Amino acid sequence: MTHDPAPPDPLLAVRDLRKLFPARPTARRSRFQGAVRAVDGISFDLRPGGTLGIVGESGSGKTTTGRLVARLEQPTSGSIRFAGTEIGALSRKEMRPLRRQIQMVFQDPYGSLNPRQTVGTALATPLRAHALVPAGGVGRRVREVLELVGLDPRHVDRYPADLSGGQRQRVAVARALAVEPRLVVADEPVSALDVSVQAQVVNLLQDLRRELGVAFLLISHDLAVVRHFCDDVAVMYLGRIVETADRDSLYTRPLHPYTQALMSAVPDVRRGTSGERLHRIRLPGEPPSPVSPPSGCRFRTRCWRAQEVCAQVDPPLLEITPTHRVACHFAGEFGAVPADREGAPGQPG
Amino acid sequence: MTSAADAALAVRDLTVRFPTDAGDVRAVTGLSFTVRPGQTLGVVGESGSGKTAAATALLGLHDPRRARVTGSVLVAGTEVVGAREPVLRRLRGRSVAMVFQDPTSALHPFYPVGRQVAEAYRAHHAVSRADAAERAVAMLDRVGIPAARSRAGDHPHQLSGGMRQRVVIAMALVNGPAVVVADEPTTALDVTVQADVLDLLREVQQETGTALVHVTHDLGVVAETADRLLVMYAGRAVEAGPARDLLARPRMPYTWGLLQSTPDLGAREERLRPVPGSPPSLLTPPDGCPFHPRCAFAETVPGGRCGTDLPDLVPVSGETGRLRRCHLPEDVPLGEGQVGP
């Protein structure tokens, strides 16, 4: 962290985090013989009020990462420090006082809102559970947060079915923010919405972040949405962070071959109309199984730059600039120096 | 536009309504377009625009007990609307085939994928099982399934999502249909896989001369693949034209708004410009132009016509192949499209 200009106390500091799911839960012997290595040694920081986007395709481990941070899952190993407290190993009971400070927004507001509860009840329940406002003030606070997310306070008596998709997602955002969290983990919060409405919710999240100083961990497959919302971005592939950088560096100078391939594949209106089709990088084959990831670099089986060393040595995240790290043996070509141990993901055991 | 005679697909005044206790849901109203062989038409719209109801009608797949379909859909010269089931059965697969969004539900989970492609072929060709199986392997190979002969014995769950969608495309193409209707064919796929499947669709289309109707919510997807675009809103076509031209210079405020609100990788601006409000109910669509409650320009049209009179879909003067449905005078600039020159 010596080069890092970030404040010394990140809100969230994740180190060497792992989550293994038993591939065959009934297997009697070693639980992790044949485990799905969903998240396999990742490290990152998030400063108070910051926004980090975690980008990846299916099976990359991005959703599991979000669920670990929100402690909806128990890490297999590694450390999650939130506001100076180690939360990775806390029990449910020990976690309770911290729940208020880490809230989650899911992709599907149909699934995350109870269809038989009015909007008012959905918002009042967490306020009561955390005893945040005196009983008499709950109604007023509910109307406040509805206004905060751009909904008419008269919506308190409506049911989720009476609302449009965009309005429902605003309710989900309101419910997360009602308890004044310090961190919101948002997993694909706009992916289910129509484009015209999606933009409304992205802007709303931006405004709320500025007004309230809440930090966001945004999990998404959508590189364009992440680009519009996040200061920093981490790209995941098969349980690992392969590249992490500030937004501008990542989008103007992606260095990891996987990031480059991912960006070249995004369909783009601008590219389509100008006719200048960016050279698209085709990845051969399919992502390997997370049960038995390739030796060395996990991307090597699909990488056009792969050499012998890639099969033998797992590349650590190397620092290219103080804000840009890449896990690729050939990142050295860009003048990398090895990152300090703390920031680098560990070798598989 | 092309005359109906040399078109692979000619749609005239297509209307789809779903009667409910609360009244008719007007899913599609007065939709007309033609697609030539080898051409790709991108049909773009958000949820509730009627794009899927229209696509479904192209194969005559609406249940007549639930939907009232009127107008005309000519597939390679055969009328689909009102056709009897035996006629439709001969048509489907052979003249017009469909690729759905979710390949998992489009395939039967119990049968090997090769057999499913072979069955699709045997439905229209009097060939032996062995010959059909050969044909299926060749088709699976053509759509880029590696080791097609051995993968033909796999069941759908043994394949990745992208491979499954390739199987569905193989099934759609095995009879060499004149028209393929693809409804969000890559929406459920990862972005790197999506790009491969789009490339595949384009390649096989060029090879076979099939007409492709590509229905999607994603402007980026059709920007790179479609020859022409048709933008739908509240069940109606609101703008149409050559794809690049239309996206570079939208002439209808909804298309313009959609482009403004689409995030992309290149724009410098940090803030998106959303379209306010949400799409209207198809049960009680607004009077006049269906977009007027959300339109930033409606106020500027004299006489408040946008709220009372439905504009016609008419050619944009001086521009080839461009149509739009809007009261706004043509010389009023919408502001730069996101990708404007």
Side-chain angles (χ1 to χ4, degrees):
Chain A
M1 311 302 292
T2 42
H3 310 284
D4 225 271
D9 293 327
L11 177 68
L12 177 71
V14 169
R15 290 293 174 274
D16 207 15
L17 186 64
R18 279 199 170 74
K19 178 66 182 177
L20 278 57
F21 294 102
R24 286 167 300 153
T26 50
R28 216 177 284 160
R29 277 190 292 165
S30 168
R31 262 182 76 211
F32 296 135
Q33 199 171 28
V36 175
R37 311 179 77 87
V39 172
D40 203 8
I42 65 168
S43 302
F44 61 85
D45 287 347
L46 177 57
R47 61 182 170 77
T51 46
L52 174 67
I54 297 194
V55 172
E57 297 185 284
S58 28
S60 63
K62 58 185 192 301
T63 290
T64 306
T65 301
R67 294 177 60 86
L68 286 166
V69 166
R71 279 306 318 276
L72 301 179
E73 301 280 358
Q74 166 97 42
T76 305
S77 66
S79 152
I80 306 171
R81 286 186 79 78
F82 175 75
T85 308
E86 174 59 49
I87 63 167
L90 293 187
S91 67
R92 274 168 180 270
K93 201 177 154 197
E94 292 166 327
M95 200 48 214
R96 274 201 85 160
L98 284 164
R99 290 264 177 231
R100 179 181 73 77
Q101 300 191 36
I102 308 175
Q103 290 289 312
M104 227 172 143
V105 175
F106 298 93
Q107 171 171 356
D108 177 14
Y110 296 72
S112 59
L113 294 174
N114 184 337
R116 298 183 182 205
Q117 266 185 1
T118 62
V119 168
T121 311
L123 296 177
T125 305
L127 289 173
R128 294 212 171 90
H130 293 287
L132 269 183
V133 283
V138 170
R140 194 163 50 89
R141 177 71 183 144
V142 165
R143 287 190 297 275
E144 262 174 35
V145 291
L146 278 176
E147 279 181 16
L148 187 69
V149 298
L151 287 175
D152 189 327
R154 283 173 298 185
H155 280 63
V156 285
D157 296 325
R158 303 269 186 91
Y159 288 87
D162 304 331
L163 305 176
S164 70
Q167 287 173 330
R168 242 179 249 136
Q169 197 59 305
R170 283 173 194 264
V171 172
V173 170
R175 184 176 57 178
L177 293 171
V179 295
E180 297 169 26
R182 299 175 73 182
L183 171 64
V184 171
V185 178
D187 190 352
E188 304 277 10
V190 298
S191 303
L193 305 176
D194 276 321
V195 174
S196 68
V197 178
Q198 169 180 304
Q200 294 171 13
V201 176
V202 170
N203 285 353
L204 169 72
L205 291 175
Q206 258 172 1
D207 294 343
L208 292 172
R209 179 215 158 188
R210 267 184 213 125
E211 283 165 32
L212 309 173
V214 191
F216 275 88
L217 186 65
L218 179 74
I219 317 275
S220 181
H221 74 285
D222 189 330
L223 287 157
V225 165
V226 166
R227 190 186 156 282
H228 276 271
F229 186 68
C230 297
D231 303 329
D232 297 293
V233 186
V235 181
M236 287 189 74
Y237 182 80
L238 216 61
R240 287 286 175 78
I241 291 176
V242 295
E243 181 162 9
T244 173
D246 64 282
R247 178 237 324 256
D248 289 341
S249 307
L250 189 90
Y251 285 90
T252 54
R253 206 167 80 110
L255 296 178
H256 196 283
Y258 176 64
T259 315
Q260 293 171 352
L262 200 57
M263 291 216 185
S264 80
V266 175
D268 190 282
V269 175
R270 176 191 302 268
R271 233 184 271 156
T273 48
S274 61
E276 45 148 309
R277 286 202 77 209
L278 190 92
H279 170 63
R280 191 162 87 66
I281 303 164
R282 283 168 183 256
L283 294 182
E286 309 215 320
S289 158
V291 177
S292 51
S295 65
C297 172
R298 297 179 172 210
F299 185 58
R300 71 175 166 87
T301 52
R302 309 178 73 195
C303 183
W304 62 97
R305 277 166 144 185
Q307 311 266 330
E308 233 169 78
V309 61
C310 303
Q312 287 150 7
V313 184
D314 191 3
L317 269 177
L318 294 181
E319 186 173 299
I320 308 297
T321 72
T323 57
H324 199 152
R325 291 167 181 216
V326 186
C328 174
H329 289 299
F330 302 102
E333 291 167 16
F334 310 102
V337 293
D340 57 280
R341 262 202 56 75
E342 216 192 1
Q347 309 293 312
Chain B
M1 288 236 148
T2 330
S3 72
D6 57 346
L9 176 67
V11 174
R12 281 287 161 269
D13 207 20
L14 178 66
T15 296
V16 181
R17 295 189 170 198
F18 299 101
T20 70
D21 291 344
D24 281 7
V25 173
R26 297 176 224 182
V28 182
T29 307
L31 188 66
S32 300
F33 60 84
T34 54
V35 193
R36 283 198 309 274
Q39 198 185 39
T40 298
L41 174 73
V43 176
V44 180
E46 297 183 278
S47 32
S49 64
K51 59 188 191 302
T52 293
T56 308
L58 300 183
L59 285 89
L61 285 170
H62 283 294
D63 182 343
R65 290 166 301 183
R66 298 228 180 95
R68 286 209 312 272
V69 183
T70 56
S72 163
V73 173
L74 283 175
V75 173
T78 307
E79 179 61 54
V80 170
V81 176
R84 297 156 64 90
E85 201 55 33
V87 177
L88 289 174
R89 268 205 297 275
R90 275 197 299 279
L91 209 64
R92 289 183 199 136
R94 187 181 192 110
S95 301
V96 54
M98 186 133 182
V99 176
F100 296 93
Q101 173 172 346
D102 178 10
T104 309
S105 48
L107 293 170
H108 196 296
F110 287 179
Y111 297 112
V113 294
R115 176 161 163 197
Q116 299 190 47
V117 177
E119 290 294 328
Y121 189 63
R122 268 163 49 85
H124 295 288
H125 294 86
V127 294
S128 68
R129 280 180 199 278
D131 288 351
E134 274 309 305
R135 167 93 189 168
V137 169
M139 211 55 224
L140 290 174
D141 184 56
R142 176 61 202 92
V143 297
I145 302 228
R149 192 167 296 279
S150 65
R151 298 314 290 269
D154 281 1
H155 288 77
H157 75 269
Q158 292 170 292
L159 302 175
S160 68
M163 286 298 150
R164 269 180 230 149
Q165 194 61 303
R166 285 172 192 266
V167 172
V168 173
I169 291 170
M171 276 173 80
L173 293 169
V174 71
N175 292 299
V179 181
V180 171
V181 181
D183 189 0
E184 305 273 8
T186 59
T187 306
L189 305 176
D190 274 327
V191 68
T192 53
V193 181
Q194 160 172 285
D196 289 337
V197 170
L198 290 175
D199 284 351
L200 169 69
L201 273 175
R202 197 167 21 208
E203 276 167 33
V204 292
Q205 185 198 20
Q206 272 164 15
E207 242 171 67
T208 58
T210 296
L212 179 64
V213 178
H214 186 158
V215 177
T216 181
H217 73 286
D218 189 333
L219 286 168
V221 163
V222 279
E224 294 185 26
T225 57
D227 302 301
R228 292 180 57 80
L229 291 183
L230 186 144
V231 182
M232 289 187 72
Y233 188 80
R236 294 179 190 271
V238 293
E239 182 159 15
R244 278 190 196 179
D245 197 27
L246 187 149
L247 292 172
R249 285 174 304 123
R251 302 301 300 265
M252 197 276 170
Y254 172 65
T255 317
W256 176 74
L258 207 53
L259 280 162
Q260 294 286 323
S261 55
T262 304
D264 78 355
L265 296 181
R268 277 265 142 229
E269 268 173 277
E270 206 185 314
R271 207 164 167 77
L272 298 169
R273 284 174 283 181
V275 182
S278 43
S281 155
L282 295 173
L283 204 55
T284 51
D287 288 336
C289 169
F291 186 59
H292 88 267
R294 305 175 73 190
C295 182
F297 300 90
E299 306 256 297
T300 69
V301 172
R305 286 171 68 207
C306 300
T308 52
D309 307 342
L310 176 73
D312 291 327
L313 186 71
V314 291
V316 178
S317 51
E319 301 203 41
T320 1
R322 298 278 313 251
L323 298 165
R324 67 167 199 163
R325 188 189 289 284
C326 188
H327 286 310
L328 201 66
E330 282 179 6
D331 54 3
V332 174
L334 296 178
E336 253 182 34
Q338 189 180 6
V339 292

